[in-house]
Amino acid sequence: MPRQFCFSVSSRIVATLLSSLLWLSLPAGAATASADDLAGLQSLVQQQQAVIQQLLENQRRQGQQIEELRQQLSDHSQLIGSVEDSAVDESYSISPEKEPEIGVEEVLAAATPIRVLPGEARFSVGGHINRAVNIADDGEDVETFHVDSGSVPTLAYLKAYLPVNEQLTFGGHIETALQNNSASVVSQDNRAPGFTHSARNFELTLDHERYGKLWFGRGLMSSFIAVELDKSETWRYNIISPGNTAGGLKFTDRQTEELSDITVGLVFIDAEAFNRKDRVRYDSPVFGGLRISGSVGTADSNDVTLRWNGKLGGVDITAATSLQNNPVLGRVSDRVDGGVAFYHGGTGLSLSLVGAKQDYKRSFYQNYGRTDGDNEGYGVRLGLRRNWFELGETRMGLDYFDAEDVLYKKDSAESTGFFISQNIDAWSVEPYFGYRFYDYDTGPQAGGLSLDKVQVWTFGARMALDLTVQ
């Protein structure tokens, strides 16, 4: 028997019993009560029955609502089961080359608290490991040093790109160097300086196809042109700043056979280091291959740079020049540099020519007995890039650099280097080998100081790591 019917029958029985009890509970003399009293009692019973009927109706409606809620709960349980099955069974790649399946973003948003990137936004996390072994001969001893590259160090980065519209993109870049025994610091009397980390990039960018690019924060000044002028593509471990290979090594005094205070990095300046500052930078759009850039940085550092890219026949040409004020804090007041590079895609041959002239600050050059602070130098690099193996591209670079009046008046610094690397594309690994020769002649103003030459053999490898979500 249905529950509602049972309740109804029972209610009627209760009503009847209540009526009977009311009747029986009357005093004996009430049997002769008037017809009006009897009619009042009957009316009271009818009101009670009406109340009971209303309660029964309310119960019926509540039962319907409970049944509807039970059905909705069942539907939600089936939906949750389908989401879990999809999360387990569907293969979803975060590679930017593969478009996500229909509904994947909705499933991820429902199943996890992770926010799906809007529209065409991209987020990258990665970096690279760049380790080397330097075997150095300083004229007195041959020693082995385990170092992190001084050209482009081991680093980690976070990058984000958010298109605002078809022409404007908002970006962010965080990058830090993570080095254990940096080649820029390791020396004969400090073989293991240990772990260091340093800020490279902490910046925001606005890039507009029509109006150019604005950079805000710590990063490269506009005058950093070394990478663009190296068409041999060996700059990641052989940047056009020859001192980076072994910048911390000290020259040996020939007379005393003791280490001097003059390091490779002091004679051959690290171009990347003095170009990375807190600044505001602007790069114009490209007009006929020409682009003008400028930046205003910390401690009155500023620069303006002109770049041009073009093609003549089968030869790609890149030219750049920059004017810098206070580029090396505490050392250089003004600097002008530039260069031109050629690359022939058919043969893989390249040629880079670079030069610079700068004025030292008086407080710096007086320490070396000088009355003026002019210094100039130049360099040339021949390169070859060929795909001889299925593994990836083979790269080679042979260069020569010469500078005068580097520290002492009429001194000279020369460096010759050769590097070769082999890309292994499938592993994102690039092993390399190089040799570099440093010769610094202090000249007649150094009080007879004569330094031994330094030779360095480098065996290293670089592994790139990158994960991009789009």
Side-chain angles (χ1 to χ4, degrees):
M1 180 180 295
R3 183 179 300 173
Q4 289 184 353
F5 182 74
C6 291
F7 187 82
S8 177
V9 172
S10 300
S11 300
R12 289 190 180 120
I13 292 174
V14 171
T16 304
L17 289 174
L18 288 173
S19 300
S20 299
L21 289 173
L22 288 171
W23 177 260
L24 293 175
S25 64
L26 292 174
T32 58
S34 64
D36 293 337
D37 293 336
L38 181 60
L41 290 173
Q42 290 177 344
S43 175
L44 177 61
V45 171
Q46 290 175 354
Q47 291 176 4
Q48 292 175 345
Q49 289 178 339
V51 171
I52 293 172
Q53 290 297 328
Q54 183 64 39
L55 292 173
L56 291 175
E57 179 63 22
N58 292 341
Q59 182 197 25
R60 183 185 65 80
R61 293 177 179 175
Q62 291 174 354
Q64 290 178 347
Q65 293 175 353
I66 291 173
E67 187 63 30
E68 291 175 357
L69 290 174
R70 185 181 291 111
Q71 183 62 40
Q72 293 177 6
L73 180 61
S74 175
D75 294 342
H76 281 298
S77 298
Q78 294 177 1
L79 177 60
I80 292 173
S82 65
V83 170
E84 291 176 347
D85 293 340
S86 175
V88 173
D89 298 335
E90 291 292 333
S91 60
Y92 173 61
S93 172
I94 58 176
S95 170
E97 286 79 15
K98 179 180 178 181
E99 293 294 332
E101 300 292 335
I102 296 177
V104 168
E105 293 185 357
E106 289 77 5
V107 170
L108 288 176
T112 72
I114 299 175
R115 179 184 176 189
V116 178
L117 294 175
E120 299 297 323
R122 302 194 314 278
F123 177 80
S124 297
V125 56
H128 73 201
I129 302 169
N130 197 354
R131 298 292 301 179
V133 175
N134 283 343
I135 301 175
D137 180 359
D138 61 9
E140 295 296 330
D141 297 297
V142 177
E143 299 182 79
T144 300
F145 304 92
H146 297 269
V147 300
D148 196 270
S149 174
S151 291
V152 181
T154 295
L155 56 85
Y157 64 77
L158 298 172
K159 296 179 181 180
Y161 305 92
L162 178 61
V164 179
N165 52 47
E166 293 183 356
Q167 291 189 315
L168 181 63
T169 300
F170 180 64
H173 183 191
I174 299 174
E175 181 175 304
T176 182
L178 304 168
Q179 296 184 276
N180 190 60
N181 300 337
S182 169
S184 300
V185 180
V186 167
S187 65
Q188 297 92 322
D189 53 2
N190 188 14
R191 301 173 58 86
F195 176 79
T196 59
H197 64 89
S198 58
R200 288 172 59 83
N201 292 73
F202 284 83
E203 61 186 354
L204 299 173
T205 60
L206 276 175
D207 192 357
H208 197 281
E209 291 184 5
R210 185 175 179 181
Y211 300 113
K213 186 172 184 178
L214 181 67
W215 318 60
F216 174 70
R218 179 173 175 79
L220 288 168
M221 301 283 280
S222 73
S223 53
F224 184 64
I225 58 178
V227 171
E228 299 164 79
L229 295 176
D230 181 16
K231 298 301 184 180
S232 71
E233 289 290 332
T234 62
W235 57 268
R236 295 174 182 86
Y237 39 86
N238 184 34
I239 198 168
I240 300 183
S241 295
N244 290 42
T245 302
L249 292 184
K250 297 180 177 181
F251 289 94
T252 302
D253 189 325
R254 282 198 182 101
Q255 294 180 350
T256 65
E257 298 183 354
E258 299 291 335
L259 296 175
S260 72
D261 294 330
I262 299 177
T263 65
V264 169
L266 183 62
V267 176
F268 300 93
I269 299 176
D270 181 356
E272 184 188 25
F274 73 69
N275 271 278
R276 200 176 293 275
K277 294 182 175 68
D278 292 290
R279 85 294 190 235
V280 176
R281 169 179 168 179
Y282 171 73
D283 291 3
S284 76
V286 177
F287 300 100
L290 190 66
R291 167 176 282 177
I292 186 169
S293 307
S295 44
V296 178
T298 184
D300 298 323
S301 298
N302 52 74
D303 60 23
V304 60
T305 305
L306 195 63
R307 293 173 170 86
W308 180 81
N309 287 278
K311 197 162 187 174
L312 182 61
V315 178
D316 295 322
I317 305 174
T318 298
T321 184
S322 71
L323 178 62
Q324 307 154 40
N325 180 49
N326 202 27
V328 185
L329 301 181
R331 180 170 178 177
V332 175
S333 57
D334 298 290
R335 176 184 173 96
V336 58
D337 64 12
V340 60
F342 308 89
Y343 174 68
H344 186 261
T347 62
L349 290 170
S350 65
L351 172 65
S352 302
L353 304 170
V354 296
K357 183 175 182 178
Q358 60 191 12
D359 291 333
Y360 286 135
K361 291 186 176 180
R362 182 176 298 276
S363 58
F364 175 80
Y365 64 72
Q366 280 184 342
N367 295 330
Y368 297 92
R370 299 180 60 175
T371 57
D372 66 81
D374 292 340
N375 161 242
E376 58 185 27
Y378 69 92
V380 56
R381 174 170 291 176
L382 296 172
L384 177 63
R385 294 158 49 189
R386 296 298 296 270
N387 286 290
W388 284 318
F389 311 102
E390 294 183 359
L391 292 172
E393 189 175 66
T394 304
R395 299 168 178 170
M396 290 183 283
L398 173 65
D399 57 51
Y400 172 78
F401 294 89
D402 179 85
E404 297 179 352
D405 299 330
V406 179
L407 298 177
Y408 298 95
K409 190 65 176 175
K410 298 185 178 179
D411 66 3
S412 63
E414 296 179 276
S415 179
T416 300
F418 172 75
F419 276 78
I420 181 171
S421 71
Q422 177 61 55
N423 274 13
I424 304 177
D425 295 337
W427 299 348
S428 295
V429 172
E430 187 177 12
Y432 56 85
F433 164 76
Y435 166 81
R436 187 158 291 284
F437 175 83
Y438 298 104
D439 183 15
Y440 176 52
D441 183 354
T442 57
Q445 304 297 320
L449 177 63
S450 179
L451 303 176
D452 281 326
K453 300 174 178 61
V454 175
Q455 300 181 78
V456 181
W457 294 265
T458 298
F459 302 85
R462 186 184 72 94
M463 171 180 279
L465 309 168
D466 186 84
L467 174 65
T468 299
V469 180
Q470 184 172 21

